Structure formats: structure tokens, C-alpha cells
Amino acid sequence: METVSAHPRASEAAYTPLTPVLSERYALTAGQFGVVAVLTVWCWYLSYIPLFYAVTWRHAMVGQWIAEQNALPRVDPTLALADGMEWTTTSWLSDLSLHLLERAGGTLALQSALVVLVGGASIGLARLFYVATSSKWWMLAGLAFVLPFVWTRVGVLRPELAGAGCFVLLLLMWQRLRIEPAPRSVAPWAAGAWLPLLMAVWANLDGSVLWGVVALACFALGEFIDGWQERRDPRLVARDSGRRWRIWLSQAAIAATLCTPLGWDLWRQAASLATSSLGASFGGLRPMLVASWLGLGLLATWALFGVLLRYGRAAFRAGDVLAFVAFSLLAGYNESLAPWLAVVAASMLIPHAAQLCRDRGWVDAVIGAAGGSVSSDVTASPLPPESGDAANMVGEGQPGATSPEENQAKPFQFAYSLATVLVIWVAFALSPLATPLLGGKPRALNRIYSPNTPHAIAEFLRGRSPQGLVWCPEEWGDWLRWNGPAGIKVAVNSNASILPRIVRQDYAQVARADGTWTRTLDRYGVEYLAVDKQTQQRLAESVQSTLESWTVVYEDETALVARRKEAGE
């Protein structure tokens, strides 16, 4: 039988070197792998945070009321003693979303929402710091700067987390507008259109949109101040298309906050912040103590600002300084606003600190000894190479030709990319969020919810179905209302700041067991009294003593419940 030889070209093709299918843009470096690993571990940690027994459930109940009534409440539906006190939710879209998430996926969906909101805001902050400094090391330094201020706030699922994510997006958009200021093409116009849309959505998600308005007002005023310092003529400032574009865009974004069912009422509440339900959503008046950790952190931040102002080479933008001052005053008025201050301060101070350290060479030597560089830690440019670079890429003077070495795949080119995918998958597989997909043993009840959640009290009350008022600690009110018997009426919960002053004073009197506290309970017609033995020790001791009109009907290591005696008992 005749043998047919293979075609010469076929034999040559068999020895053609293999080239990677993926683009080199997907080949991550060791530094990029480290950043992704840090953020992945952070998100993995967030997935294990148990759900807190307050705040979250009140918002979910308000969302349930909105879904059932197809309207916004005019009084708080979760507080019996708030009847007659004007109140409306400034986070109706977040409340409704929490209700729908819980109904669709239970606690797992709520835990996933916590990871998405906090993890997404963390990734946005990382992007903000990296664009400002072009350094992964300084990006991580910025995240480390913000973390102590937000540590106590990230563990509770609340509408504020959605507002924080919107705030980070606002800073990212404004940063891009500064880089690409004038609407010379479709892209900047499209980027600018997203800012009013963001503010409109934020106004429906949470009342913290007010802080976005403060930031935009500071940035817009700062644009005029910077232009005045440069030109010394308001007419010349008005002719600067970039500044004029940013100022008009900030005004349009502020006006977009009226696109809510509340309409002008949101601004009315902002004008009377100390007494409105908008102010109550931030906790009311809670001045920051200078001797506290937050107070010391604020002082240290201002000290760092002074050092950078004195020794830094680059000038600060007026809008950034105005925002820093404004949020410092707000944080002094209410310590719960410290996370917003930290984000504003870090976005302003970290780039200047990086520049100062590069000028002095303070950090380059340390990072260089570890095998990296602060000043040259920049990702590869996504733009095509210039003509000179393209000429260097051709071989032997032949246009478009490449050398055989460049056609060959680089060994371990995608090693860090594969390692990144592996780290993300392992973190997901080890988190509770993977249980529905990969299976596994369900988490214990004390790991799904915070350890001090009053499960036993709620179960006991479900078996009694109280008809009268239940007096309980403020932190327990949300959970007892959510998981207790249907129609239960609690005296206080996490929204107690909207209650009349006399009610708040009576609550404090009973909690301390001062004076004629039993007569106070009689005046409100309280049927059951729940006591936290850890935080209300004096009240627990008073209840356990001989009382004529009350009897202890339930007690464990952490709590007790007393019931009013009926006539003849």
C-alpha cells in the first residue's frame, strides 16, 4: 500500500509555538493579588458577622408596613407610644428592600446584603485611594485609616450602609470630573449625568443623602474659591468651562434629591434637623467626647492635616478643606457621623501624605527593601502604545513583524491571576453564604444572631400573647416586636428618640429603678416588664424583691420577666 506523506505546511504548523488566549491585561501582578486577597478576606469576615437584634428588624417592619399599605407611614408603626408624633421614614426604599430580601431569602439574604454593601463600599474606597495616589500601598494605608472610625458601624445592617456606598460613589464621580472636567465629548456628559441620578436614588435609600448635599456644596464653593485664587477675577472664573461645568452639575445633583415621595418635606426636615425624624434617624444630639477614642482620632486627624499643610508641597483644594471642616463640625455634633468624616479626611489627606513621603523619601526606602516601590507602583496603562513604542516592538525593520521570543508565552504569566481566582473561591466556599450552593451543616442560632439576642423572652411572650404594653430595654424592642407574638406593643425600641420627652424620662427612671418607678408602669398600664439583668442590675434586684402588684413569671441567667398581678391573685 502506498504511503502518503503529510503536507510540509502541516508539519510546520505542528511546531508553531502556543500563545495565550487571554489578553495580557488579565495577568495580575503580585501587588494586585495582595490587594484582592486583603479585600477578599475582609468580605469573608463580613459574612460571619451575626445579625444584630436591633435596628435591622425595625426597618424591615417599616418596609412590611409600606408593602401592605402601599403608602409611607405618618407615624412609626413599630412604637405604640409614638402615636400622634409626626414621623416618616427617610429610608423607605431601603426599608422595603430589607423586607423583600428577608421574605425571599431569610437571614441568609440579609447577611449577603451586609457583605455586598460593606464590601462594595470598601472596594470603592480602595479604588478612590488608588486613583488619587497611584500606589497600592497607600491605598491600603487609606483603608487602614478609615477602619477604626467605621468599625462599630459596619456590623449592623441598616440603610446607612447603602448611603455610605452612595457617598463613596459620589467621591469617585467627583474625582473623575476633576480629571476630565469639561464636556467636550459624549463620555464626560454621560459621566456627569450619573451624578444627579445617584443623588436621586440615594434620596430614596436613606436620609444620609444630606451629607452628600453637604459635600457637593463644599466642592462647588471650593471650585469658585480655587478659581478666584488662580485668576483674581470672577469674570475669568466664569469663563473656565471645567469649573463652570462642575458647579452647574453639583447644583443639578442637589436638586435631584427632591425626586422622592417626600418631596420638599425632606428639606423641611433637614432645616429642623434637631427635632425632625431625619435628625432622629442619625441618633439625635450625641456630641463627641474629646477623651473618647473617636475624639482622640479626630484630634490626630487635624494634627496630620496641620503637618501636611506646613510641610507638604502640593496645595490643598478649597473644596476638600471645606468638606473636612464641615464634617468635623458635624461629627462633633453627633459622634455617629465619624465614619463620614473619616472618608472625607482620608480622601483629602492620603494623597498629600503620599506626595510628602515621596518627596522626602521616607517610605520608598522601606518598601524598596521589601521588594516594591511606592512611587512607581502604577498599573499598566490601558491605552495603546505610542508610535515610538510601536517602532521598538517591530523586528528587523519589518513593519508589524514580531520576534519569536515575543510570540512565546511567558512562563507563569497568569499565576497570580489563577491564585486570585482560587482565593476568591476558597473564601466563598468557607463562608456561610455558600451553604445553599455547596451544602453543609447549618449555623447555630447563636452564630446567625448576636449572642445577646432575647430569643427566650420572645418565645415566652409568644406563649402568653400579651394584650397590654410590654416594657423592655430599648435594645430589645425591635426584636420582640419582630419575633414576638403578633400585635405585641412595646414601649421603646431603637427609634426611641422620636418619643415625647416625658416618655423618654419615664423610661430612664424605670431603667434605673428610681423613685416611684412602679407607679410609672401603672400609669402606662404595663402588663409585662422585661429586664436585662446585665445592664439593669438595680432594676432586676428591685423586681426580685417583694412587690405587691408584680410577680416574676420567667427568669434565666441573663433576663427576667415580671407580670402585673390581676385583682384577686
Side-chain angles (χ1 to χ4, degrees):
M1 184 172 62
E2 184 178 0
T3 305
V4 181
S5 61
H7 197 277
R9 298 198 176 199
S11 61
E12 292 177 3
Y15 294 99
T16 302
L18 298 177
T19 57
V21 177
L22 291 176
S23 171
E24 291 187 359
R25 64 187 301 181
Y26 298 106
L28 301 183
T29 63
Q32 292 169 336
F33 166 75
V35 171
V36 174
V38 169
L39 293 174
T40 301
V41 172
W42 170 242
C43 292
W44 172 80
Y45 166 77
L46 293 174
S47 67
Y48 276 93
I49 294 181
L51 294 173
F52 192 51
Y53 46 83
V55 182
T56 304
W57 314 107
R58 176 175 61 83
H59 286 286
M61 285 184 288
V62 174
Q64 181 181 4
W65 191 96
I66 295 174
E68 294 174 350
Q69 305 296 328
N70 196 25
L72 296 184
R74 303 307 302 177
V75 295
D76 190 343
T78 66
L79 274 178
L81 298 182
D83 191 15
M85 300 296 296
E86 184 180 358
W87 176 88
T88 186
T89 175
T90 55
S91 57
W92 71 271
L93 187 56
S94 296
D95 298 344
L96 184 60
S97 300
L98 284 175
H99 163 65
L100 296 177
L101 280 174
E102 196 283 330
R103 189 175 66 178
T107 57
L108 184 64
L110 297 180
Q111 289 176 324
S112 302
L114 178 65
V115 175
V116 170
L117 291 176
V118 180
S122 302
I123 295 173
L125 277 178
R127 176 64 180 172
L128 178 68
F129 297 145
Y130 183 77
V131 172
T133 61
S134 298
S135 169
K136 292 182 282 291
W137 296 100
W138 282 106
M139 177 190 69
L140 294 177
L143 294 176
F145 178 91
V146 174
L147 185 60
F149 289 90
V150 304
W151 182 257
T152 59
R153 309 288 295 180
V154 299
V156 181
L157 182 59
R158 66 182 83 197
E160 179 187 5
L161 298 182
C166 293
F167 191 62
V168 174
L169 285 178
L170 169 65
L171 296 181
L172 281 170
M173 290 181 181
W174 193 262
Q175 184 184 64
R176 181 179 178 183
L177 290 172
R178 283 173 171 173
I179 297 174
E180 198 173 2
R184 299 174 183 174
S185 62
V186 178
W189 277 99
W194 284 103
L195 188 58
L197 179 61
L198 171 67
M199 295 298 289
V201 174
W202 188 359
N204 292 276
L205 284 174
D206 187 44
S208 59
V209 68
L210 177 61
W211 315 136
V213 171
V214 172
L216 283 175
C218 292
F219 293 154
L221 180 58
E223 290 292 332
F224 182 81
I225 295 175
D226 289 336
W228 174 265
Q229 290 179 343
E230 293 175 4
R231 314 220 175 199
R232 299 295 179 180
D233 189 342
R235 293 173 297 179
L236 296 178
V237 175
R239 293 175 187 174
D240 189 331
S241 60
R243 297 191 188 280
R244 188 173 65 249
W245 162 241
R246 289 192 292 269
I247 292 174
W248 279 107
L249 187 60
S250 62
Q251 294 177 7
I254 292 175
T257 58
L258 297 174
C259 299
T260 69
L262 297 177
W264 289 102
D265 187 59
L266 179 64
W267 286 95
R268 182 187 63 82
Q269 294 189 40
S272 56
L273 191 64
T275 58
S276 65
S277 55
L278 178 60
S281 65
F282 303 124
L285 178 61
R286 297 168 54 188
M288 180 183 295
L289 299 177
V290 179
S292 65
W293 287 110
L294 291 177
L296 295 176
L298 177 59
L299 293 178
T301 302
W302 272 92
L304 177 60
F305 173 62
V307 171
L308 296 176
L309 192 63
R310 172 64 178 84
Y311 297 102
R313 183 182 62 179
F316 284 89
R317 294 178 183 268
D320 295 339
V321 176
L322 289 175
F324 179 52
V325 173
F327 279 90
S328 297
L329 295 175
L330 289 172
Y333 170 81
N334 189 336
E335 64 178 8
S336 64
L337 302 181
W340 307 88
L341 167 64
V343 173
V344 171
S347 63
M348 179 185 72
L349 299 179
I350 292 299
H352 288 269
Q355 185 63 46
L356 177 62
C357 291
R358 287 168 182 168
D359 294 341
R360 301 298 179 94
W362 292 339
V363 182
D364 283 312
V366 177
I367 302 301
S373 175
V374 175
S375 59
S376 61
D377 186 13
V378 185
T379 56
S381 174
L383 299 177
E386 300 294 337
S387 58
D389 296 334
N392 294 330
M393 293 177 62
V394 299
E396 300 298 328
Q398 300 177 5
T402 56
S403 62
E405 291 79 6
E406 292 176 345
N407 284 332
Q408 296 178 359
K410 299 177 182 178
F412 304 106
Q413 182 179 12
F414 295 95
Y416 287 111
S417 302
L418 295 175
T420 299
V421 175
L422 178 62
V423 167
I424 294 175
W425 171 254
V426 170
F428 173 74
L430 296 179
S431 70
L433 308 183
T435 302
L437 180 63
L438 304 179
K441 185 178 179 181
R443 300 177 69 193
L445 195 65
N446 60 349
R447 295 185 179 274
I448 297 177
Y449 303 100
S450 298
N452 295 329
T453 304
H455 296 287
I457 304 298
E459 183 178 358
F460 172 80
L461 293 176
R462 283 198 302 270
R464 297 297 189 278
S465 298
Q467 301 300 317
L469 189 66
V470 176
W471 198 279
C472 61
E474 179 179 335
E475 297 80 7
W476 289 2
D478 293 338
W479 181 257
L480 296 183
R481 183 70 172 78
W482 170 265
N483 202 36
I488 184 176
K489 300 176 183 178
V490 295
V492 292
N493 62 9
S494 60
N495 201 26
S497 57
I498 71 167
L499 293 172
R501 179 180 300 179
I502 184 62
V503 178
R504 297 197 302 270
Q505 292 175 350
D506 291 338
Y507 170 78
Q509 179 195 23
V510 174
R512 297 190 303 264
D514 288 343
T516 57
W517 62 271
T518 55
R519 294 184 181 179
T520 301
L521 297 179
D522 295 339
R523 190 169 70 251
Y524 285 95
V526 176
E527 182 179 359
Y528 284 93
L529 171 65
V531 182
D532 186 353
K533 296 169 66 174
Q534 298 179 355
T535 61
Q536 300 175 330
Q537 297 180 1
R538 182 176 177 182
L539 179 60
E541 294 174 356
S542 299
V543 172
Q544 289 172 330
S545 63
T546 304
L547 294 178
E548 297 180 358
S549 58
W550 293 86
T551 180
V552 176
V553 294
Y554 174 84
E555 184 176 5
D556 56 24
E557 297 179 355
T558 61
L560 62 84
V561 178
R563 179 178 178 272
R564 181 189 301 276
K565 294 181 180 180
E566 297 180 358
E569 289 188 1

